[in-house]
Amino acid sequence: MTVVTDPNTRTLAPTAAGGVLQSMHDSLVIARRNLLRMMRIPEVVIFGLVQPIMFVVLFSYVFGGSVNVGGTFSATAYREFLMAGIFAQTVTFATAGAGAGIADDMHKGLVDRFRSLPMSRGAVLTGRTLADLVQTALTVVVLAIVGVLVGWRIHHGVPKMFAAFALLLLLGYAFSWIGALIGLTVRTPEAATSGGLIWLFPVTFVSNAFVSPDKMTPWLRHVAEWNPFSATVQACRTLFGNPGVVHSNAWPMEHPVWASLVWSVLIILAFRTLAVRKYRSATA
């Protein structure tokens, strides 16, 4: 049998249906895929929980009682002071995992398979960051339980507690886009992990997370007070009613809740734009 082919017929590559709803649907499909993958590799989730728990226990019992918080060397006061910093550190350190995951997908050619489907280009990255957000939320819940066990308490009610956790997750989601950009830029998952951690250490430690900026030299104190990480830590301490709220003329320290929101939204807008642009150029 002879098959006659029309020379005017062309093979078209799949194209994504436009619209915000289609993009949201595609993002949720990718997020579900990544969540299922996490469930099938439980050791990734377990190891992600162990590190912040170790930080809480070690800092609480090693430094507790030796750091002046609010004019006192009380171990209980330091543990309440510490938890906001540990929460913020935990959600931002998840950035390294996000970058490594995206770099791994790129390295294995999984992204090329996604390109063959009629889906939104930004959905691959959005779905990955949403899945990481769910894992981060689980880690925060476990960390809060451990914090209560070592003496951490909230003093301003449950609604403000949930507001503080929402700010933490928003910061973690914002930083995950930085990790996504790093994962798209480097060639291997190992490089993405290293690149994701190098900049996180100065961001988390040049802040008000573990010591008051008042103890720092003047120029370093100004850096710490305008650090987006510090704004979220200050907001959490304010909402939790924990000690260690910094009194400063810097706008982020005077209005930490608004500063945390503004910083997180700006980071998402900037780095999501850069990451999606990099993704399109890398897979073009």
Side-chain angles (χ1 to χ4, degrees):
M1 183 176 69
T2 304
V3 178
V4 179
T5 304
D6 186 350
N8 296 322
T9 302
R10 293 180 299 172
T11 302
L12 300 177
T15 57
V20 176
L21 291 179
Q22 178 66 34
S23 179
M24 291 175 59
H25 175 268
D26 294 342
S27 299
L28 291 176
V29 170
I30 296 296
R32 180 176 179 272
R33 172 256 175 191
N34 283 287
L35 288 173
L36 290 173
R37 182 184 180 187
M38 292 176 187
M39 292 173 61
R40 291 167 183 165
I41 313 176
E43 56 267 25
V44 174
V45 179
I46 294 172
F47 290 151
L49 292 172
V50 169
Q51 179 179 332
I53 291 173
M54 287 178 59
F55 271 114
V56 172
V57 175
L58 290 175
F59 273 81
S60 296
Y61 291 101
V62 173
F63 296 104
S66 61
V67 178
N68 189 337
V69 178
T72 177
F73 287 92
S74 168
T76 301
Y78 181 72
R79 287 166 189 164
E80 292 197 352
F81 167 84
L82 172 70
M83 285 307 300
I86 293 293
F87 281 132
Q89 183 191 55
T90 299
V91 299
T92 53
F93 269 46
T95 301
I102 291 174
D104 188 50
D105 288 344
M106 294 283 290
H107 183 69
K108 291 179 178 178
L110 184 63
V111 172
D112 291 333
R113 285 179 243 169
F114 287 139
R115 285 184 62 209
S116 66
L117 302 175
M119 62 188 302
S120 170
R121 287 289 179 258
V124 175
L125 302 180
T126 303
R128 174 75 205 197
T129 55
L130 288 175
D132 290 330
L133 181 63
V134 173
Q135 183 179 357
T136 301
L138 173 63
T139 304
V140 168
V141 170
V142 174
L143 197 57
I145 295 172
V146 175
V148 170
L149 294 177
V150 299
W152 171 67
R153 297 293 183 271
I154 60 169
H155 304 284
H156 287 170
V158 174
K160 288 189 176 182
M161 177 193 72
F162 281 117
F165 284 136
L167 289 176
L168 287 166
L169 293 178
L170 183 62
L171 179 71
Y173 183 69
F175 275 41
S176 70
W177 281 105
I178 302 178
L181 181 60
I182 294 173
L184 291 168
T185 303
V186 300
R187 297 183 179 181
T188 64
E190 293 79 9
T193 302
S194 300
L197 290 175
I198 287 174
W199 66 275
L200 279 173
F201 278 105
V203 166
T204 55
F205 283 94
V206 184
S207 71
N208 58 354
F210 305 111
V211 296
S212 173
D214 295 337
K215 315 296 183 186
M216 302 177 184
T217 57
W219 70 270
L220 200 59
R221 183 178 71 246
H222 292 309
V223 172
E225 290 174 345
W226 284 89
N227 185 346
F229 185 86
S230 294
T232 301
V233 173
Q234 176 94 330
C236 289
R237 287 183 181 137
T238 301
L239 294 171
F240 289 147
N242 292 154
V245 175
V246 177
H247 300 286
S248 168
N249 293 326
W251 183 82
M253 297 296 98
E254 289 184 326
H255 309 280
V257 174
W258 285 108
S260 178
L261 282 171
V262 170
W263 275 123
S264 295
V265 170
L266 287 177
I267 292 171
I268 291 172
L269 292 176
F271 283 91
R272 187 185 189 280
T273 301
L274 293 173
V276 172
R277 184 177 301 172
K278 181 67 177 179
Y279 173 81
R280 287 173 176 170
S281 64
T283 59

